Amino acid sequence: MKTVLRIIIYLIVFVVVVGGIGAVGSVNTMNAGMSVYDKALPALTDLQVPIYDANKPTVAVLLANEVTEVFDFLVPYEMFAMTESYNVYGVSPDREIKSLTGGLDVVPHYSFDEMDAMLGKSPDIIVIPFMPILDENKYAPVREWIRKHSGAKTTLISICNGAENLADTGLLNGKSAATHWGDMNRLIKKYPEIQWVNDRRYVPQGNIVSSAGLTSGIDATLYVISKQLGEAAAKKVAKEMNYPSYEYVTNPQMKPFVAGLSDITYVLNNAYQWNKVKAGVLLYNGADELDLSAAFDTYAASGTTTTLTVSSANELIVTKHGLNLVARYQIKNVPKLAKMIVVGADAESAAAEDISQWKNSGNSAKLLFLHRDAADRFAMDPAFEDLAGQEDIQTAKFAAKRLEYRATDHLKLEGSPFSFEAFGIPVLLGILSLLIAFFIDRRFIRRKKGSSVNISASRG
């Protein structure tokens, strides 16, 4: 009986020490990645809104009140804008600053009510990124607005786990849908009335198109563009993006991604990578949206890096296709950084003044021109390669897998084979838990046994 008790104590101590500390680490990592804008608002008098052309169809890309997935929002927004054939707007329940995962903050072009008043009808396309439903009251307006504009004349596109937001409306009931491979089993249980598909990059169902994980949203968006504007327009966008997997647009069939042992790197990074790299991302006027996503959805989403937005002045930054961004820090007050990421193949000329101000600020963090000499590459590729050098090869490989990025054969991943910190800390915690359990065993269990023997002997 005492042997069983001792085994139970060892297991409990191990789970409490290793599992408990890991759980705290995971929660802290998640909270950092999903933090919302909490600083004093800059003056928004210079807010720029793309001109509305009544002769063009309108695309509304949604933003939630709490947080929205950065890739899911930025990339479809840019792709529709690149065609120059749509009115493209970021739309949310109100005009307050909205946060994307990784800490990028956006000012919506219109509130739901403002867009309804301007159009007098439903948008032609609504893009639904992943928006975690954290607070029912804050999220409810998003659900209601999607339902309100779900008529047959409006195309609804869910990106990645935006399929959950679409499923939440009930509009997918009785239909087939795709979503991120990591959420598939959970959503099968939560929404059994939907036929979840795991072997296609996107699934069209009437006026609804759902995509699988992240980069699959590129295929879904190109599919919609090809259907509405013609395949030549879709191919032109893909070429300008240097997107390497256009074949999925015409044939979305794919080999399913599944969870594997190699994914443990991601879990351990989130739980035990305590010494996270603090990287700035320089925001400057004209920055490309996809390039920005490469910084936030590669580094920040890996569990290894905290990304901080930095600008030269406390004023709005306008991206290449008209998004209004707000930086959380300025060069003069940013915390100590390990590096400053500058995105864009032409960043050294496009952001010359901002870069000069950074160099003259006395900050010792190195400048990383992420897309230098990469004008002909897909924006994510240099980020994967740099992440491998910053962290390890397994972390970079999972970053690509998380993004459901298929064109990885040409990547040059060089670095440590795995994270010694992420693997080493739980090993040390495991040893510590064994020592604690051994102490409890000697102090309370074995001693108790010995004491009872002594008492019996004295009675004899």
Side-chain angles (χ1 to χ4, degrees), residues 118 122 131 136 168 214 267 313 315 378 403 411:
M118 180 183 74
S122 295
M131 298 166 282
E136 172 62 27
D168 175 68
L214 296 111
V267 176
E315 56 190 28
F378 185 59
L403 285 159
L411 294 178

Side-chain angles (χ1 to χ4, degrees), residues 272-287:
Y272 303 107
Q273 185 79 290
W274 298 339
N275 186 30
K276 297 189 188 302
V277 173
K278 191 170 288 185
V281 180
L282 184 66
L283 303 185
Y284 61 91
N285 289 315

